């Protein structure tokens, strides 16, 4: 029996017993974010099951479908009427924004973030790409990088990362060359675009590239290495490193630096269920969310190493410090946070 089926049967048994408390899980079950919610839910259930095995008593879980963004306040009220003492979710940013405006009177661990304000009953936990930028810039500065050129495609996600990086980089004293927009063709992919990039005079004094389109790193990195004798080092978002691929498939990423989840970078430190497939990051996020949910209401300052990074909780705020790494032989090698060297 798979661990997910075992969990399901365990929860059914728990439902028939008298539980000390009830926790509501608010996730969409249909629509475009249903698959994301499934991975998060599996992580939550894994954390719940570990807690149950250790304590022999955990709250009864009741799941609510939050596909309709307009129904979130009704669902919150319904969960409270059913006796819920804690809410985990919602996942959608617009629903979290509604709760920020009107926080419930019971503890809520929202699975997204709309601001950095601490509220008395609402905590916001997220895997925001922007959280990776500051630690990555610190690594770049430790490596002596002063001038960077941002490269990426002309799409919304790339533009978001470009703006976030450039604003933070200049705010931390860095210098920028003009950004470069990559183009892709059906005949040769990014080849001509990379050739043009390398030939441009704007690369003078550029010490590194920041790739704002991490999903194309496996295509862009080998072209940079092939067409330039000594290419500048490349830094990017953690999505550039696909943990589902083999180390052989990731060989073209050698030399790439990024900051991401310890769960993905230091794989041997974590026990992973055999059933995990697809998005490891979201599973880790869900498992850490369960761990956080069991402690946030104590109002005590907390710090601990978790699957998604070094997490600190203080005054209603959850901060996550990702782990930085550099790819070598197709595998991410964790960097020493004070020197930027691999350990």
């Amino acid at each position: 029996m798979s661990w997910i089926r075992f969990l399901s049967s365990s929860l059914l048994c728990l439902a028939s017993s008298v539980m000390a408390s009830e926790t509501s899980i608010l996730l969409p079950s249909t629509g475009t974010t249903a698959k994301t919610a499934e991975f998060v839910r599996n992580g939550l259930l894994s954390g719940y099951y570990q807690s149950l095995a250790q304590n022999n008593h955990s709250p009864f879980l009741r799941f609510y479908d939050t596909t309709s963004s307009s129904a979130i306040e009704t669902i919150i009220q319904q969960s409270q009427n059913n006796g819920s003492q804690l809410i985990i979710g919602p996942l959608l940013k617009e629903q979290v924004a509604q709760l920020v405006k009107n926080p419930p009177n019971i503890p809520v661990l929202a699975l997204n973030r709309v601001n950095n304000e601490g509220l008395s009953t609402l905590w916001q936990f997220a895997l925001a790409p922007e959280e990776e930028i500051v630690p990555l810039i610190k690594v770049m500065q430790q490596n002596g990088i002063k001038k960077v050129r941002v490269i990426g495609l002309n799409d919304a996600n790339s533009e978001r990362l470009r703006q976030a990086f450039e604003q933070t980089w200049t705010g931390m004293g860095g210098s920028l060359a003009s950004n470069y927009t990559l183009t892709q063709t059906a005949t040769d992919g990014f080849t001509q675009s990379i050739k043009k990039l390398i030939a441009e005079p704007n690369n003078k004094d550029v010490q590194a590239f920041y790739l704002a389109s991490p999903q194309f790193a496996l295509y862009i990195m080998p072209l940079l290495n092939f067409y330039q004798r000594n290419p500048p080092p490349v830094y990017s978002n953690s999505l550039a490193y696909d943990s589902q691929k083999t180390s052989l498939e990731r060989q073209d990423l050698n030399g790439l630096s990024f900051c991401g989840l310890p769960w993905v970078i230091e794989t041997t430190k974590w026990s992973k269920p055999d059933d995990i497939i697809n998005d490891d990051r979201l599973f880790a996020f869900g498992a850490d969310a369960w761990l956080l949910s069991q402690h946030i209401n104590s109002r005590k300052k907390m710090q601990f190493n978790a699957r998604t990074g070094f997490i600190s909780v203080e005054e209603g705020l959850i901060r996550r410090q990702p782990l930085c790494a550099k790819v070598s032989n197709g595998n991410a090698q964790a960097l020493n946070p004070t020197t930027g060297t691999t350990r």
Side-chain angles (χ1 to χ4, degrees):
M1 178 184 292
S2 74
W3 72 272
I4 294 177
R5 290 196 298 273
F6 180 77
L7 283 174
S8 300
S9 61
S10 298
L11 292 176
L12 288 174
C13 294
L14 287 170
S16 62
S17 63
V18 178
M19 305 300 295
S21 60
E22 179 174 310
T23 294
S24 298
I25 311 295
L26 277 56
L27 291 170
S29 60
T30 59
T32 57
T33 56
K35 200 64 179 178
T36 296
E38 179 184 347
F39 297 137
V40 174
R41 181 174 65 249
N42 289 344
L44 279 165
L45 288 174
S46 178
Y48 173 84
Y49 178 65
Q50 290 178 8
S51 177
L52 183 64
Q54 294 169 1
N55 303 325
N56 293 321
H57 60 84
S58 283
F60 170 63
L61 303 184
R62 192 187 298 271
F63 290 83
Y64 295 85
D65 180 12
T66 59
T67 301
S68 173
S69 60
S70 61
I72 190 63
E73 292 184 352
T74 301
I75 292 173
I76 293 287
Q77 187 60 55
Q78 183 182 355
S79 70
Q80 291 182 268
N81 293 342
N82 288 333
S84 179
Q85 298 180 13
L86 172 69
I87 295 173
I88 303 176
L91 181 66
L92 303 183
K93 182 169 286 189
E94 58 267 30
Q95 293 175 338
V96 176
Q98 292 179 46
L99 297 188
V100 168
K101 294 179 180 178
N102 187 23
N105 54 18
I106 63 173
V108 177
L109 177 65
L111 301 179
N112 213 320
R113 179 180 291 115
V114 297
N115 58 36
N116 291 316
E117 297 179 9
L119 299 171
S120 60
T121 60
L122 178 65
W123 290 259
Q124 301 174 62
F125 181 46
L127 291 183
E130 291 82 0
E131 291 176 322
E132 301 176 357
I133 291 176
V134 170
L136 184 65
I137 288 177
K138 290 181 178 179
V139 169
M140 296 169 72
Q141 292 177 334
Q142 290 166 4
N143 292 337
I145 305 298
K146 296 181 179 179
K147 189 173 184 178
V148 176
R149 190 171 195 190
V150 179
I151 60 176
L153 274 69
N154 184 22
D155 61 67
N157 290 332
S158 298
E159 182 65 12
R160 175 187 173 188
L161 278 180
R162 181 190 69 78
Q163 290 183 5
F165 175 83
E166 290 184 349
Q167 181 179 358
T168 308
W169 174 255
T170 55
M172 295 175 67
S175 176
L176 287 167
S178 60
N179 63 76
Y180 181 82
T181 301
L182 294 163
T183 57
Q184 185 179 21
T185 66
T187 55
D188 66 355
F190 293 103
T191 301
Q192 295 304 317
S193 188
I194 292 296
K195 284 182 176 181
K196 183 180 177 181
L197 166 66
I198 292 171
E200 283 201 354
N202 287 338
N203 291 326
K204 183 180 179 180
D205 300 327
V206 168
Q207 297 170 288
F209 289 134
Y210 176 79
L211 177 60
S213 301
Q215 69 272 31
F216 293 105
L218 273 172
Y219 301 97
I220 294 168
M221 288 287 293
L223 292 172
L224 286 170
N225 291 325
F226 183 79
Y227 287 108
Q228 197 169 12
R229 180 170 297 178
N230 294 304
V234 179
Y235 299 80
S236 191
N237 174 269
S238 63
L239 292 179
Y241 184 82
D242 189 346
S243 61
Q244 301 302 317
K245 294 186 179 298
T246 66
S247 57
L248 181 61
E249 292 174 307
R250 294 192 299 256
Q251 288 289 334
D252 286 333
L253 294 179
N254 288 344
L256 176 76
S257 297
F258 67 95
C259 298
L261 277 58
W263 174 262
V264 173
I265 296 169
E266 298 183 319
T267 56
T268 58
K269 289 188 175 182
W270 308 95
S271 175
K272 298 187 177 184
D274 294 335
D275 287 22
I276 291 184
I277 57 173
N278 297 324
D279 206 321
D280 264 358
R281 293 171 174 84
L282 294 173
F283 182 96
F285 175 63
D288 279 0
W290 176 261
L291 178 63
L292 275 167
S293 73
Q294 301 308 291
H295 298 285
I296 54 173
N297 201 34
S298 69
R299 311 304 300 181
K300 295 180 180 179
K301 180 179 179 180
M302 295 185 299
Q303 292 183 330
F304 54 92
N305 289 305
R307 300 166 182 83
T308 57
F310 181 75
I311 293 177
S312 61
V313 184
E314 185 177 9
E315 297 179 352
L317 294 176
I318 298 173
R319 294 182 175 88
R320 181 179 66 90
Q321 175 78 20
L323 179 66
C324 296
K326 186 174 183 178
V327 182
S328 176
N329 295 321
N331 292 311
Q333 304 292 326
L335 295 175
N336 187 311
T338 58
T339 65
T341 58
T342 57
R343 66 171 186 257

